[in-house]
Amino acid sequence: MREETKEKTAPPGTQEGGSARNPLGSKPVRGLLFRFAVPSIIAMLVGSLYNIVDQFFIGRSVGELGNAATNISFPLSISCIAIALLFGIGGASAFNISMGKGEPGKAVVYLGNAASMLFGCGLVLCLLTLLFLEPLLCFFGSPDNVLGYARTYTGIVALGFPFLILATGGGHLIRADGRPKISMLCNLAGALINVVLDAFFVFGFHMGMAGAAAATIVGQMISAVMTVYFLRRCRTVSILRKHLKIQRGAVLRIMSLGTAPFSNQVAMMLVQIVMNKSLKYYGSISAYGEAIPIACAGIITKVNQVFLAFIIGISQGLQPITSFNYGARQYGRVREAYRTAVTWGFFIALAAFCMFQFAPRQIISIFGNGSEEYYGFAVRYFHIYLFCTFINFLQPISSNFFTSIGKPRRGTFLSLTRQILFLLPLLLLLPRWLGMEGIMYAGPIADASAGLAAILMVGQELRRKEYQEMQKKAVPGD
């Protein structure tokens, strides 16, 4: 980073009357949310595209066992996203809150420390994965006939972990700097390269699992290089080398604000591991066998990620708006932004629900052919496990909302409701009585319960702020 460049000054917060000069504090909320959410959605879709594209090419060239292998390695991909969100969302929230308070000198430290932690943690995860590759895959629930495919794919993909984490988390930092389109561009470039190389490596050179993995890490490397380039050229501050030096207080603050999305991803990873093991066990004593349930569930999980990309993109677009205005004490704009976000989320969730319920066979057919048992399991899994998709927008948006207003404990608790508090116990208990059906019914029960928890917690928060504002207006001169 540039050593001699002076730090730029950013618009101060309301303490100095500066929120009116910052678009986050003055422009119409709906327009701001659209401006920030659309690039975030595209960036999230691009992230989902990495998995979807690999699944498509592997399904068409290798088949069911290849699809099962990508699902076995999926917990490691979730780990990467968890680290990216811990320091990406955490760093972005800390940065925007500080900017809203008129403290650009403190804000830039959060930006630099977040970038350093992203790449450093990626290196550590890469080394641990390569050192313990086969034991990890077995722990994740790999059947014997899938292990070889999973070992080939994961051994190559692991080399890209530092770049994936830096590109994903760095995108949040660029977005916090007020450049959501640049963040989108960084992710989009890598994904498009991945698509092109997948076609060449898998179909052209017949490289199978290794080709899909190689295409993935090349795309991630290019995204990471672009992310570093644009972080060096921030618009509101200048990141110097001294800001990259780890400061304990800054890292702890970043981690506290990033704990909610991080915890949600870690919970997803744990649930994925339990899910794989349960599908393997109950599949082995059913007509489907071990591989079909794992392969189908993996595809459906990644298809569902496309829907969640829209929801999480909205929640990420909401973050800089709520963080800045909360720091500037413009609580009315905070409420308006949240309500707009959940309204958009509802209509997207409703559209996804209709697709999952009325076109499941068409969706699963995109990823290759299979037996009638394969299609039968996939259609039933879509119908049951994703039945409550129409309410599954509330928990992600609400969890990130609490993080963005500097209340990470509430955000963390809410982020854990679906995966840990509800879904994990249900996955362990229901199959004991219902077998494979119990795994499927655990999904909608957890979704509905998490949605209800989000309604109660956010409703309480919004009512509290409305009451505080009324009390201030009632006190003359306050």
Side-chain angles (χ1 to χ4, degrees):
M1 299 292 176
R2 292 165 289 171
E3 187 67 71
E4 302 300 328
T5 307
K6 293 183 179 179
E7 293 179 7
K8 301 174 187 175
T9 57
T14 52
Q15 294 89 334
E16 300 174 16
S19 68
R21 295 195 297 272
N22 191 307
L24 291 173
S26 59
K27 288 192 174 182
V29 166
R30 290 194 178 195
L32 284 171
L33 185 58
F34 184 85
R35 176 191 166 199
F36 280 89
V38 170
S40 299
I41 290 170
I42 294 174
M44 289 300 302
L45 285 172
V46 168
S48 301
L49 192 62
Y50 277 107
N51 293 315
I52 291 288
V53 167
D54 280 359
Q55 200 83 60
F56 172 82
F57 284 102
I58 289 170
R60 292 284 176 176
S61 62
V62 180
E64 292 177 12
L65 295 181
N67 281 332
T70 60
N71 192 34
I72 292 299
S73 69
F74 195 51
L76 290 169
S77 297
I78 298 175
S79 299
C80 292
I81 301 302
I83 295 171
L85 294 181
L86 176 65
F87 297 106
I89 291 287
S93 297
F95 174 81
N96 285 130
I97 290 173
S98 294
M99 294 295 280
K101 292 179 178 180
E103 300 172 341
K106 182 184 291 187
V108 70
V109 173
Y110 292 130
L111 220 59
N113 273 230
S116 295
M117 293 300 297
L118 286 167
F119 192 74
C121 290
L123 286 174
V124 172
L125 182 61
C126 170
L127 293 174
L128 290 175
T129 301
L130 294 175
L131 285 173
F132 303 103
L133 181 58
E134 190 162 326
L136 281 172
L137 296 175
C138 292
F139 177 70
F140 294 158
S142 177
D144 292 339
N145 59 345
V146 174
L147 183 59
Y149 295 102
R151 186 169 51 233
T152 298
Y153 181 79
T154 310
I156 298 172
V157 167
L159 298 174
F161 285 171
F163 306 102
L164 170 61
I165 292 171
L166 179 59
T168 305
H172 298 294
L173 304 181
I174 293 172
R175 188 181 304 113
D177 185 49
R179 296 179 294 168
K181 291 182 180 178
I182 295 296
S183 174
M184 174 190 70
L185 178 64
C186 293
N187 285 279
L188 187 59
L192 292 177
I193 290 168
N194 179 39
V195 172
V196 174
L197 292 181
D198 257 324
F200 275 110
F201 292 165
V202 177
F203 288 161
F205 300 136
H206 305 288
M207 294 173 62
M209 302 294 293
T216 297
I217 65 172
V218 172
Q220 291 166 352
M221 288 176 181
I222 291 173
S223 289
V225 169
M226 293 178 65
T227 299
V228 171
Y229 175 84
F230 287 111
L231 280 175
R232 286 170 59 92
R233 290 157 178 82
C234 284
R235 187 162 63 184
T236 54
V237 295
S238 289
I239 303 179
L240 310 179
R241 287 178 183 169
K242 65 180 181 181
H243 300 134
L244 298 176
K245 185 177 180 180
I246 299 301
Q247 296 183 21
R248 183 173 179 272
V251 170
L252 290 177
R253 172 63 171 166
I254 290 168
M255 292 177 68
S256 71
L257 293 175
T259 298
F262 170 79
S263 300
N264 189 46
Q265 292 294 316
V266 170
M268 286 177 60
M269 181 184 70
L270 294 175
V271 167
Q272 187 68 43
I273 294 170
V274 172
M275 178 80 78
N276 286 345
K277 288 178 175 291
S278 297
L279 290 169
K280 176 184 176 183
Y281 175 76
Y282 290 101
S284 68
I285 58 176
S286 72
Y288 302 112
E290 292 180 344
I292 285 177
I294 293 175
C296 291
I299 293 172
I300 293 167
T301 296
K302 290 165 188 175
V303 169
N304 189 45
Q305 277 197 317
V306 175
F307 153 66
L308 289 175
F310 284 90
I311 302 304
I312 296 172
I314 290 173
S315 74
Q316 291 174 356
L318 179 68
Q319 179 267 313
I321 303 169
T322 51
S323 291
F324 183 90
N325 285 285
Y326 195 87
R329 299 183 181 180
Q330 298 192 96
Y331 301 127
R333 289 175 62 82
V334 173
R335 288 195 300 272
E336 183 184 355
Y338 174 79
R339 288 167 179 164
T340 302
V342 295
T343 300
W344 293 1
F346 169 73
F347 286 109
I348 293 170
L350 190 60
F353 168 80
C354 293
M355 290 181 61
F356 296 160
Q357 293 301 309
F358 299 119
R361 189 179 181 101
Q362 291 85 342
I363 294 172
I364 203 73
S365 297
I366 296 172
F367 302 96
N369 297 319
S371 63
E372 275 306 309
E373 289 81 7
Y374 173 83
Y375 282 116
F377 181 87
V379 169
R380 187 153 181 78
Y381 197 92
F382 260 117
H383 283 163
I384 299 176
Y385 191 79
L386 298 181
F387 181 77
C388 280
T389 297
F390 62 88
I391 201 174
N392 208 13
F393 66 97
L394 280 170
Q395 185 251 6
I397 293 175
S398 302
S399 172
N400 202 37
F401 168 75
F402 279 114
T403 297
S404 68
I405 63 173
K407 298 188 176 181
R409 290 183 181 178
R410 296 182 188 182
T412 301
F413 172 79
L414 192 55
S415 73
L416 295 176
T417 51
R418 189 217 180 237
Q419 305 290 344
I420 298 298
L421 194 60
F422 301 125
L423 184 55
L424 190 57
L426 289 169
L427 284 174
L428 294 173
L429 295 175
L430 289 184
R432 293 177 179 270
W433 299 294
L434 302 176
M436 189 68 73
E437 299 282 299
I439 298 174
M440 298 182 190
Y441 281 106
I445 296 173
D447 289 339
S449 302
L452 179 60
I455 291 171
L456 295 174
M457 290 181 65
V458 176
Q460 182 185 46
E461 177 67 25
L462 296 181
R463 286 193 299 271
R464 182 185 296 114
K465 285 303 173 188
E466 286 179 320
Y467 177 77
Q468 289 177 353
E469 287 179 302
M470 291 174 61
Q471 290 292 102
K472 283 187 177 182
K473 292 178 181 178
V475 179
D478 192 12

